[in-house]
Amino acid sequence: MVFNQFLALNFLQLKRTKRLLKDLGIFRFLFVLAIIVGAVFAIFTFLLKGENLEIAVGVFSLLILSFQIQRKDKTFLDINFNHYRIILFYQYLLLSLPLLCFLLFHVEWVLLLASFLGIILVPFINFKFNTQRLNTKIQRQIPVGAFEWKAGMRTYLFFIIAVWVGGLAFSFLPGAVPIAIFILGLLPLKFFEKGEPVQMLIAVEKSPVKLIVGKFKTHAIIFTLISLPMMLMFFIFHSEIWYLVFVEFAIFLSVHFYFILLKYAWYIPNQKPGSVEVFSVIGAVGLIIPIFLPLVWLLTLWFYFKAVANLKQYLHDFD
Amino acid sequence: MILIKKLTLTYPGSPKILNALDLSLPLGKIHGIAGLNGSGKTTLLNTIFGLLKADTGTIECSDFEINKKNISYLPTENYFYSNITAREYLGLFRNGNFELETWNKLFGLPLDQVTDDYSSGMKKKLALLGVIKQDKQIMILDEPFNNLDIETSRSLRSLLLKMSATGKTIIITSHIIETLTNLCDYIHYLDEGKIKYSHRKDEFVAFEKDLLKSIENKTEGIITELLG
């Protein structure tokens, strides 16, 4: 019974993917396919070396954990299926199969067992950041125009503070600041996923170009204010490799711009269009596999012109 | 009979949402849960269904277990996977006896259209079809009439009355008191985490009159102060 429900859900996921790809059109589909094949090949090559498996298990666990925390269908599954956690377990097992096969291939029994236990436990994780009412001084300092940050801070404030303090406290270790900036750099990607209501877009009374430049400016200031103290600490403790975190910061900022433009290039009020989901994956791949970064930057340029044209239909009166 | 005894629930950092709440719900009847915004109606429904765990208290039923096997639930906000059609959504719920095309005559949904293109009213109808298809002993419906057009509202009302006549227990909330008085066998009024009054059908007229009077008394002064 439960397995049948799992099959039905997965069959549905296949149909969704098929429709999404159909909406993309043949050229974009081939483009996305090439990116996916490239990413899979890079991960495959990475995993062939046995010494990389621990990192792979760590990264994969974080990805699954973050997926479980953020997935929006948990309540739906809980309401409508008697044993929804078993369905989640099957899904995560299916996703983990390639990694488990690699672990088996390299005879890594401990990692294999730990991964399997992790897959059993993850479906039981169901906590929410209960911070909807949070309205601290920090949120009040963020300008109204950066509502994405206001909302994001409300959800992730404690997490951001924990990572930020951790990054500063352990900045004497070479990995601490780059990891903290990496985590804090990933968070804003979520802030720009969904289109705001059209009233909020119009309320600023700016032309598309001014709106986009304004978004860039406030985002760059906020992200710099968050990252700068950590970067300075890194500069003090690791002056011989100081440039590393500055490069990392610049890369993240460029990818954030990509995501801001992506939102407006396909902006539909209150929605997250399918194209945004697909191109978000490309942006994220650029962060994980840096050889794709030039592609992300090229797309950023294209999205800029597309965003200006798309926003004109809502903001033409302010040109 | 569903017996709810001393149900207490607190969200971290908030006052008690449910405060030693006692409630008796006879089976095979339509029960309306009324109350002001934020009075805890949805929390009560979530707790009965099992989505939330009460700090203390019990929910028991004389005839069957109170669990997901016997209850179907329509939340206020319904989740739909993107890029799936209504037919595919309904395919997730197993019920061999459910004749989709016949049931859909009541709602008139374009079943082969992806739900992303549905209006909020159409989404509500689809979620209702999902709940109906599950065919459980108890149906919990949180604001089922929200976003429905007048025709569907009337059809849903008749449908719920017929379902109740066949022995199903229906628990619904609505912020429109007339919706409840026109449909329910009992209305339970929730205030400050407790059931303040429970009324049978023959007491509804007096209840509605008293409620509207007390609301008018409360707001009249404020409106006069605002607008003179």
Side-chain angles (χ1 to χ4, degrees):
Chain A
M1 174 73 176
V2 182
F3 193 69
N4 283 342
Q5 288 172 339
F6 159 75
L7 286 180
L9 268 174
N10 275 13
F11 188 59
L12 207 61
Q13 300 291 2
L14 282 177
K15 281 187 174 173
R16 292 177 64 204
T17 313
K18 194 179 138 197
R19 280 201 191 101
L20 193 68
L21 294 175
K22 205 174 151 191
D23 288 348
L24 272 179
I26 185 74
F27 290 110
R28 283 185 200 152
F29 167 67
L30 290 173
F31 177 68
V32 171
L33 189 68
I35 301 267
I36 292 170
V37 169
V40 169
F41 181 74
I43 293 167
F44 183 80
T45 319
F46 182 76
L47 287 179
L48 273 180
K49 292 176 192 162
E51 64 267 27
N52 291 331
L53 284 172
E54 281 177 23
I55 301 170
V57 169
V59 171
F60 189 75
S61 309
L62 276 177
L63 287 175
I64 292 276
L65 193 65
S66 121
F67 181 61
Q68 165 70 10
I69 290 169
Q70 290 179 36
R71 64 186 294 171
K72 292 179 180 135
D73 61 345
K74 281 197 294 262
T75 309
F76 167 77
L77 294 173
D78 191 4
I79 287 173
N80 295 298
F81 299 97
N82 291 338
H83 303 285
Y84 86 103
R85 288 202 171 93
I86 300 178
I87 294 174
L88 295 182
F89 164 72
Y90 284 147
Q91 285 187 340
Y92 294 140
L93 187 66
L94 185 70
L95 281 173
S96 315
L97 267 182
L99 181 68
L100 296 179
C101 289
F102 269 103
L103 293 174
L104 205 62
F105 175 73
H106 288 288
V107 206
E108 289 280 358
W109 298 114
V110 178
L111 281 177
L112 186 70
L113 190 68
S115 306
F116 194 73
L117 280 175
I119 298 164
I120 294 174
L121 291 176
V122 164
F124 288 91
I125 296 170
N126 191 16
F127 65 86
K128 286 179 192 162
F129 294 102
N130 189 18
T131 50
Q132 280 92 347
R133 295 174 189 196
L134 209 62
N135 193 19
T136 64
K137 277 184 184 168
I138 298 176
Q139 272 113 16
R140 290 198 286 270
Q141 298 307 316
I142 300 170
V144 182
F147 53 83
E148 297 94 343
W149 271 97
K150 269 188 187 283
M153 278 283 196
R154 189 154 287 129
T155 310
Y156 295 107
L157 183 69
F158 294 130
F159 182 69
I160 291 171
I161 290 174
V163 174
W164 192 77
V165 171
L168 281 180
F170 293 97
S171 55
F172 58 90
L173 298 171
V177 171
I179 290 172
I181 291 182
F182 185 81
I183 296 169
L184 295 178
L186 284 180
L187 277 182
L189 305 186
K190 279 204 68 64
F191 301 174
F192 298 98
E193 274 181 339
K194 195 178 167 188
E196 61 265 41
V198 72
Q199 296 91 327
M200 289 176 80
L201 192 75
I202 294 170
V204 293
E205 298 190 357
K206 281 183 182 168
S207 70
V209 174
K210 279 188 180 161
L211 179 98
I212 290 168
V213 171
K215 287 275 171 198
F216 280 1
K217 219 166 94 181
T218 40
H219 176 77
I221 291 170
I222 295 169
F223 190 55
T224 307
L225 284 174
I226 292 173
S227 309
L228 201 61
M230 288 190 290
M231 287 155 72
L232 289 175
M233 292 301 274
F234 189 83
F235 181 73
I236 293 165
F237 284 113
H238 313 284
S239 53
E240 67 286 1
I241 47 168
W242 64 271
Y243 54 87
L244 273 183
V245 286
F246 285 84
V247 171
E248 186 188 14
F249 170 81
I251 288 173
F252 265 108
L253 202 56
S254 70
V255 176
H256 292 162
F257 289 167
Y258 170 90
F259 273 80
I260 292 171
L261 289 169
L262 175 59
K263 177 173 92 162
Y264 289 121
W266 273 274
Y267 171 80
I268 301 172
N270 305 314
Q271 283 188 35
K272 182 184 167 189
S275 313
V276 171
E277 284 187 41
V278 174
F279 283 110
S280 297
V281 174
I282 294 175
V285 167
L287 283 173
I288 297 164
I289 309 168
I291 50 165
F292 288 106
L293 270 175
L295 175 69
V296 171
W297 293 330
L298 270 177
L299 288 173
T300 306
L301 201 65
W302 174 42
F303 291 164
Y304 171 76
F305 293 107
K306 195 167 165 49
V308 171
N310 187 34
L311 287 175
K312 264 196 179 150
Q313 59 179 314
Y314 303 98
L315 302 172
H316 54 85
D317 286 343
F318 307 107
D319 252 341
Chain B
M1 177 87 82
I2 300 170
L3 274 178
I4 300 174
K5 286 184 191 164
K6 303 279 171 228
L7 205 65
T8 301
L9 189 136
T10 317
Y11 290 128
S14 309
K16 281 178 183 165
I17 307 291
L18 304 178
N19 188 8
L21 179 144
D22 291 314
L23 179 61
S24 305
L25 304 167
L27 295 174
K29 302 287 177 195
I30 305 181
H31 297 273
I33 309 288
L36 299 178
N37 292 340
S39 58
K41 301 187 289 291
T42 298
T43 303
L44 175 61
L45 298 191
N46 280 340
T47 314
I48 296 172
F49 182 69
L51 280 183
L52 291 173
K53 203 172 178 310
D55 305 332
T56 55
T58 55
I59 304 171
E60 285 166 359
C61 178
S62 50
D63 290 26
F64 41 78
E65 276 184 59
I66 295 289
N67 60 26
K68 280 194 255 175
K69 284 181 188 162
N70 296 314
I71 308 175
S72 56
Y73 184 34
L74 176 88
T76 334
E77 299 284 332
N78 297 283
Y79 176 83
F80 296 98
Y81 290 102
S82 61
N83 276 313
I84 66 164
T85 65
R87 195 183 295 279
E88 288 161 357
Y89 169 80
L90 292 167
L92 286 172
F93 310 108
R94 303 270 157 202
N95 179 357
N97 300 322
F98 185 80
E99 289 175 18
L100 176 56
E101 302 296 340
T102 315
W103 273 99
N104 191 40
K105 281 181 190 164
L106 207 58
F107 295 105
L109 291 171
L111 294 171
D112 293 309
Q113 190 177 321
V114 290
T115 57
D116 310 53
D117 301 333
Y118 271 27
S119 68
S120 46
M122 289 159 90
K123 282 183 178 168
K124 180 67 92 181
K125 290 181 196 177
L126 179 59
L128 274 164
L129 268 178
V131 168
I132 292 164
K133 187 178 176 186
Q134 291 176 56
D135 193 25
K136 307 272 175 81
Q137 293 287 332
I138 302 173
M139 288 167 73
I140 297 180
L141 311 173
D142 196 357
E143 302 280 2
F145 293 92
N146 270 10
N147 301 321
L148 293 185
D149 55 58
I150 187 161
E151 194 183 310
T152 318
S153 293
R154 297 298 296 179
S155 311
L156 180 62
R157 183 179 169 274
S158 308
L159 181 69
L160 294 177
L161 287 169
K162 286 254 164 60
M163 285 180 139
S164 161
T166 63
K168 291 211 186 298
T169 306
I170 298 164
I171 306 170
I172 75 165
T173 64
S174 176
H175 55 268
I176 302 169
I177 201 72
E178 292 82 3
T179 304
L180 297 179
T181 52
N182 285 331
L183 174 68
C184 300
D185 298 303
Y186 293 88
I187 293 179
H188 312 278
Y189 191 81
L190 193 58
D191 187 29
E192 293 178 351
K194 289 183 180 194
I195 297 296
K196 205 168 176 183
Y197 329 99
S198 279
H199 291 287
R200 287 193 317 271
K201 213 175 185 67
D202 53 354
E203 300 165 330
F204 283 176
V205 177
F207 159 68
E208 197 177 347
K209 205 175 153 189
D210 287 348
L211 184 68
L212 294 178
K213 187 81 191 155
S214 72
I215 293 168
E216 269 171 29
N217 288 343
K218 197 171 156 187
T219 53
E220 196 63 36
I222 303 168
I223 294 170
T224 312
E225 194 182 327
L226 286 169
L227 302 173

